[in-house]
């Protein structure tokens, strides 16, 4: 394994650890942070990508992708945090309530008022 | 600027511009935005339809910059039919939404929740529309990722326009699933770029993608897109989100939004990876079959109207994945002994995509009709809509016609699509697929009749009844009629679907 492979696999490892956190951590802030970390893992992979093929030449494409990816991640995080605040305001809890599939808990819940 | 360049620009940037107009926050800016978005999307997709039917696939280098540094827009028959059905459904839902959210000038837009929903539905939907059209025209993987992300953010925000705690939680869960799905997709893109060194779909299609890195990146992208398409068993987020959203948003999410990630899956598997592996195709088909049965059975067990329709979406999406194994050369089937011709099956291709189109029309009509019923009685339980058919005959008819198309009865497009899939399955002697397609149709009839029976009850519900604006009833009925009669005019659709076909770059 070369050191460049190491970069790629380290990125994948960060991604997988963060994925594990999204699934296992119930608190919404944890989930949002973990999703950010997944993105960071992908960025590591992207930065290592061009050097694997030609270590001497700069490749602008992955850099452009990481920059765009950061912009997208900022927008997504802002929306996710805003929505997490709404969840707390409307349900009083920072966790997602679990809904079972077969039971249809409350059919009388009102439609969106209009 | 050539015709094709004009039309591709119109469908992507028209709704985007309209979204900015609609952000103005006055009643007239909302209407102007919706009108502008609908007009550009309809005109653009119609123009592209004519262009692609005549000339074959078209390409537009934005600003004159081509790959690898520039962004290309590219349209073949598959892109164009998806653009067109989105434009038709989108225009109808836009019209519907102008009545559904009430008169903005009467509402306190900033303070009341209803006012907020009325104010932000149009900008969010137009942004989503632009992103969706961008997906259909993308020619490279990273462009797909960006448009996909915009689609996911706007869609989750649409769900939370309904202020109930349930809808808020459902919207949040949808956002998390959607973001994780995009991240899986992006990791797949990064690994593929590491391996092959290009993002252009066309160059990828020509490259050798049989290595283990390329295969694992297909697996990552597939899991991400399957989560966003709500393919069984990753469908858990869909019913609460689609049932909890305001009716126009439900119609859009169920009818057109899930098709965006489905489109990417088809493009990746067939156009880029040349069909993947036989085992992979069988797995996708098997999950589709499971979705049909599981979704239909659960639809029968729901007690609220919109949840029945949401579970029906889970089931109907399964049909689109049954197309995967049926498309393959040699008529791959669970029964094994296929004898089909070499190359891709045109029957499975046109049938499967036609099903996607008819589901979009029918499901939007059904959600809008259901929205009319719940609008009238202000409740969502099946027992509360009892007798509503006598007071809303047009919505009742729209729901019935939509159901007819979902169940695959002639002359609907659903019938033609299912018939073609069934014929392909029979030719390949895939008895398992034949059984699933048939059983799914029967179950669909059962849950549609279950809703219709409640609506037809003579015992009218005693609660109050709010009159429904005629515009909302017409929008639902027109789409239902389109779904029920598209089957008669399927030839044009077949013609354009074969422009580019399953593998446009080979």
């Amino acid at each position: 394994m070369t050191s460049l492979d190491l970069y790629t696999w380290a990125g994948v490892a960060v991604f997988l650890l963060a994925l594990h956190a999204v699934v296992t951590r119930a608190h919404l802030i944890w989930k949002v942070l973990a999703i950010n970390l997944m993105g960071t893992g992908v960025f590591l992979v992207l930065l290592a990508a061009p050097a694997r093929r030609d270590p001497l030449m700069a490749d602008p494409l992955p850099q452009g992708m990481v920059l765009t990816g950061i912009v997208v991640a900022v927008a997504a995080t802002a929306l996710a945090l805003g929505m997490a605040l709404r969840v707390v305001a409307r349900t009083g809890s920072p966790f997602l309530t679990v809904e079972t599939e077969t039971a249809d808990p409350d059919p009388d819940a009102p439609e969106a008022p209009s | 600027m050539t015709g094709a360049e004009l039309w591709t620009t119109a469908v992507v940037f028209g709704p985007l511009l309209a979204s900015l107009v609609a952000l103005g926050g006055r009643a007239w800016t909302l209407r102007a935005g919706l009108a502008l978005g609908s007009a550009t999307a309809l005109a653009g997709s119609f123009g592209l339809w004519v262009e692609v039917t005549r000339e074959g696939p078209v390409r537009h280098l934005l600003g004159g910059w081509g790959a690898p540094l520039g962004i290309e827009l590219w349209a073949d028959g598959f892109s164009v039919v998806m653009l067109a059905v989105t434009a038709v459904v989108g225009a109808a839902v836009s019209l519907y939404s102008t009545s559904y959210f009430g008169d903005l000038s009467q509402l306190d837009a900033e303070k009341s929740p209803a006012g907020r929903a009325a104010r932000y539905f149009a900008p969010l939907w137009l942004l989503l529309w632009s992103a969706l059209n961008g997906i259909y025209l993308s020619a490279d993987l990273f462009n797909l990722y960006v448009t996909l992300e915009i689609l996911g953010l706007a869609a989750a925000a649409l769900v939370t326009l309904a202020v109930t705690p349930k809808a808020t939680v459902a919207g949040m869960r949808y956002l998390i699933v959607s973001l994780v799905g995009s991240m899986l997709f992006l990791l797949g893109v990064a690994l593929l770029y590491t391996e092959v060194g290009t993002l252009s779909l066309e160059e990828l299609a020509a490259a050798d993608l049989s290595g283990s890195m390329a295969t694992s990146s297909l697996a990552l992208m597939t899991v991400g897109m399957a989560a966003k398409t709500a393919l069984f068993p990753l469908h858990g987020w869909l019913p609460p989100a689609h049932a909890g959203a305001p009716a126009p948003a439900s119609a859009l999410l169920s009818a057109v939004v899930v098709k965006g990630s489905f489109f990417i899956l088809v493009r990746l598997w067939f156009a880029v990876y040349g069909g993947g592996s036989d085992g992979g195709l069988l797995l996708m088909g098997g999950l589709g079959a499971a979705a049909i049965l599981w979704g239909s059975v659960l639809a029968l067990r729901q007690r609220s109207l919109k949840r029945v329709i949401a579970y029906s979406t889970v089931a109907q999406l399964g049909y689109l994945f049954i197309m995967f194994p049926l498309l393959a050369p040699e008529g791959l089937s669970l029964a094994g002994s296929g004898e089909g011709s070499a190359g891709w099956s045109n029957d499975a291709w046109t049938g499967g995509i036609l099903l996607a189109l008819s589901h979009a029309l029918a499901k939007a009509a059904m959600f809008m009709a259901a929205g009319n019923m719940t609008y009238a009685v202000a409740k969502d339980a099946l027992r509360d809509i009892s007798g509503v058919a006598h007071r809303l005959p047009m919505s009742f008819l729209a729901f019935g016609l939509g159901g007819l198309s979902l169940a695959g009865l002639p002359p609907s497009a659903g019938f033609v699509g299912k018939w073609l899939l069934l014929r392909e399955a029979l030719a390949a002697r895939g008895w398992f697929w034949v059984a699933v397609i048939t059983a799914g149709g029967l179950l669909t009839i059962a849950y549609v009749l279950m809703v219709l029976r409640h609506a037809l009850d003579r015992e009218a519900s005693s609660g109050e009844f709010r009159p429904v604006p005629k515009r909302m009833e017409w929008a639902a009925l027109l789409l239902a009629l389109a779904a029920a009669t598209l089957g008669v005019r399927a030839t044009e659709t077949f013609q354009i679907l074969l422009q580019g076909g399953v593998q446009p770059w080979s």
Side-chain angles (χ1 to χ4, degrees):
Chain A
M1 196 200 279
T2 68
S3 62
L4 283 172
D5 277 331
L6 194 65
Y7 280 119
T8 305
W9 294 120
V12 173
V14 170
F15 182 93
L16 290 177
L17 282 173
L19 179 61
H20 177 259
V22 176
V23 177
T24 54
R25 300 288 172 160
H27 198 288
L28 283 176
I29 300 295
W30 265 96
K31 285 190 190 285
V32 175
L33 284 178
I35 290 171
N36 263 279
L37 208 52
M38 288 171 84
T40 309
V42 179
F43 298 156
L44 284 177
V45 174
L46 274 175
L47 287 179
R52 279 171 60 95
R53 271 173 296 102
D54 183 356
L56 293 178
M57 200 146 80
D59 183 352
L61 215 55
Q63 298 179 14
M65 281 168 25
V66 171
L67 282 176
T68 316
I70 290 173
V71 173
V72 172
V74 169
T77 309
L79 180 67
L81 289 176
M83 276 174 63
L85 285 178
R86 287 287 164 80
V87 170
V88 174
R90 288 177 194 168
T91 67
S93 137
F95 304 100
L96 294 178
T97 44
V98 180
E99 195 174 336
T100 54
E101 226 173 357
T102 40
D104 187 2
D106 178 16
D108 286 325
E111 168 82 341
S114 35
Chain B
M1 198 177 238
T2 65
E5 290 180 347
L6 179 66
W7 302 131
T8 48
T9 310
V11 289
V12 179
F13 296 101
L16 190 61
L17 187 68
S19 162
L20 292 179
V21 172
L23 266 180
R26 305 277 176 97
W28 73 266
T29 59
L30 294 183
R31 280 193 219 104
L34 288 170
L36 176 64
S38 307
T40 47
L42 280 171
S45 46
F46 180 75
L48 273 179
W49 188 300
V50 173
E51 192 86 6
V52 170
T53 308
R54 218 171 38 210
E55 317 262 333
V58 297
R59 179 189 306 275
H60 177 192
L61 312 180
L62 282 182
W65 296 89
L69 294 182
I71 294 175
E72 293 185 11
L73 298 179
W74 190 86
D76 67 347
F78 187 24
S79 319
V80 173
V81 292
M82 299 310 287
L83 286 174
V85 80
T86 309
V88 171
V89 170
V93 176
S94 299
L95 188 68
Y96 181 89
S97 75
T98 54
S99 288
Y100 182 84
F101 288 109
D103 184 3
L104 189 74
S105 52
Q106 309 265 313
L107 297 166
D108 192 345
E110 277 311 314
K111 301 222 178 78
S112 76
R116 240 191 336 252
R119 179 164 174 190
Y120 291 114
F121 173 80
L124 283 172
W125 151 233
L126 289 163
L127 180 66
L128 187 154
W129 201 346
S130 168
L132 201 53
N133 288 350
I135 288 179
Y136 296 143
L137 291 175
S138 283
D140 71 82
L141 284 174
F142 195 68
N143 209 21
L144 277 178
Y145 163 72
V146 174
T147 44
L148 195 63
E149 199 74 295
I150 301 174
L151 180 78
L153 297 182
L158 275 180
V159 174
T160 45
L161 287 182
V163 288
T164 57
K166 269 166 78 180
T168 313
V169 169
M172 188 73 216
R173 180 173 286 125
Y174 182 23
L175 182 67
I176 289 171
V177 170
S178 176
L179 288 175
V180 171
S182 312
M183 282 302 145
L184 287 166
F185 183 81
L186 189 60
L187 182 63
V189 173
L191 290 179
L192 204 54
Y193 186 77
T194 305
E195 175 83 355
V196 189
T198 177
L199 294 170
S200 145
L201 297 178
E202 190 172 357
E203 286 172 27
L204 283 169
D208 173 26
L209 297 178
S210 53
S212 62
M213 188 91 115
T215 311
S216 44
S217 92
L218 175 64
L220 284 167
M221 294 192 278
T222 303
V223 175
M225 291 304 96
K228 282 183 173 252
T229 318
L231 173 60
F232 180 89
L234 302 172
H235 63 280
W237 60 267
L238 184 144
H242 287 195
S250 306
L252 294 168
L253 294 172
S254 247
V256 294
V257 172
V258 285
K259 303 296 188 311
S261 38
F262 166 73
F263 175 88
I264 297 179
L265 271 177
V266 173
R267 268 281 144 84
L268 282 178
W269 276 72
F270 297 99
V272 174
Y273 276 82
S277 65
D278 287 2
L281 290 174
L282 271 184
L283 177 67
M284 298 297 270
L287 292 177
I292 293 177
L293 300 175
W294 183 249
S296 303
V297 169
L298 280 177
L300 275 170
R301 299 190 46 156
Q302 302 304 314
R303 281 173 298 155
S304 74
L305 177 58
K306 285 176 79 178
R307 284 180 70 96
V308 173
I309 315 175
Y311 270 105
S312 148
T313 299
V314 173
Q316 300 300 321
L317 287 171
Y319 278 100
L320 308 183
F321 289 96
I322 283 204
M323 176 183 84
F324 278 54
L326 293 178
L327 262 175
E330 282 94 53
L332 186 68
S333 70
L334 274 189
S337 64
E339 66 193 62
S341 55
W344 303 106
S345 152
N346 279 344
D347 272 5
W349 174 244
T350 47
I353 304 305
L354 195 63
L355 268 187
L357 306 181
S358 85
H359 176 255
L361 295 169
K363 191 48 65 75
M366 288 169 83
F367 257 124
M368 287 197 278
N372 292 344
M373 296 177 193
T374 52
Y375 184 93
V377 300
K379 283 180 192 151
D380 188 35
L382 277 177
R383 61 170 182 276
D384 290 318
I385 63 158
S386 117
V388 84
H390 307 290
R391 312 182 77 163
L392 294 173
M394 276 166 68
S395 300
F396 175 78
L397 187 63
F399 194 94
L401 284 174
L404 184 90
S405 185
L406 280 196
L409 300 176
S412 66
F415 165 74
V416 182
K418 276 188 190 168
W419 170 250
L420 288 170
L421 282 187
L422 207 53
R423 198 166 72 175
E424 187 57 35
L426 282 169
R429 306 223 192 113
W431 307 123
F432 174 75
W433 307 121
V434 175
V436 171
I437 293 173
T438 322
L442 292 174
L443 286 166
T444 311
I445 296 177
Y447 61 70
V448 170
L449 284 182
M450 175 177 82
V451 173
L452 295 183
R453 187 188 66 79
H454 276 282
L456 268 177
D457 249 339
R458 286 219 167 271
E459 294 274 320
S461 169
S462 51
E464 58 182 300
F465 184 91
R466 181 155 62 135
V468 177
K470 273 281 165 281
R471 188 184 291 179
M472 287 163 61
E473 294 220 76
W474 274 113
L477 187 59
L478 285 178
L479 275 194
L481 280 173
T485 52
L486 179 66
V488 184
R489 306 286 300 171
T491 335
E492 285 84 357
T493 315
F494 292 165
Q495 245 176 4
I496 195 166
L497 271 176
L498 297 178
Q499 290 288 5
V502 187
Q503 263 189 307
W505 294 298
S506 63

